[in-house]
Amino acid sequence: MTTQPAPVEDPTLEADVFARNCTSRPVLQNVASRWGTLALVALREGPYRFSALRRRVDGVSERMLSQTLQGLERDGLVHREVHETIPPRVEYTLTDLGAQVADHLEALIKVLETNMPAIRDAQAAYHRE
């Protein structure tokens, strides 16, 4: 089985998430996914160990949280630190970029939570039609 080489990226090109092959799209997908958003905003509270983060992000499976954190780490939004203790302890924190993104996501969450009565009214009206 042969592997395909990674696409060569032209660093002079400007990122455009609306362009089909823009490398920013997979990053946006990781950040804007349900678990990515919740993990990033939860990590605003401070460092989390995996199991504590999983409890904080209620409903996420171990596998999905692991995949989400790996993607966010790869994209430079989350830092994973292994503490050499017995047993080993792993903590996740936000990078500076991750904190910047999480701030915006939290603002979005606050807008939605604050406006839930209007959203519920719109949903009810939609279903009545």
Side-chain angles (χ1 to χ4, degrees):
M1 176 178 204
T2 60
T3 59
Q4 297 292 327
V8 178
E9 188 175 323
D10 183 350
T12 63
L13 293 178
E14 186 173 317
D16 178 4
V17 76
F18 291 100
R20 177 185 336 192
N21 295 321
C22 183
T23 56
S24 65
R25 269 197 187 182
V27 178
L28 178 63
Q29 185 175 350
N30 289 339
V31 167
S33 72
R34 170 179 22 175
W35 306 123
T37 297
L38 294 174
L40 286 167
V41 174
L43 286 168
R44 285 187 81 253
E45 300 166 359
Y48 267 98
R49 292 177 67 179
F50 184 87
S51 57
L53 184 58
R54 184 165 174 231
R55 284 190 299 274
R56 179 70 176 111
V57 181
D58 190 26
V60 67
S61 71
E62 187 173 315
R63 179 174 179 253
M64 280 309 304
L65 182 57
S66 178
Q67 288 177 349
T68 298
L69 290 170
Q70 286 173 4
L72 295 172
E73 181 182 9
R74 181 196 60 234
D75 295 338
L77 303 172
V78 169
H79 175 72
R80 179 181 182 267
E81 184 172 352
V82 179
H83 298 275
E84 300 299 327
T85 59
I86 299 180
R89 185 170 56 100
V90 178
E91 276 188 344
Y92 294 89
T93 56
L94 293 175
T95 63
D96 290 341
L97 176 58
Q100 185 179 351
V101 170
D103 287 345
H104 289 280
L105 292 172
E106 184 177 48
L108 173 62
I109 288 170
K110 286 184 186 224
V111 167
L112 294 173
E113 288 177 340
T114 301
N115 288 285
M116 280 312 297
I119 292 168
R120 281 191 289 273
D121 290 346
Q123 290 169 340
Y126 177 85
H127 290 295
R128 280 193 302 269
E129 292 177 7

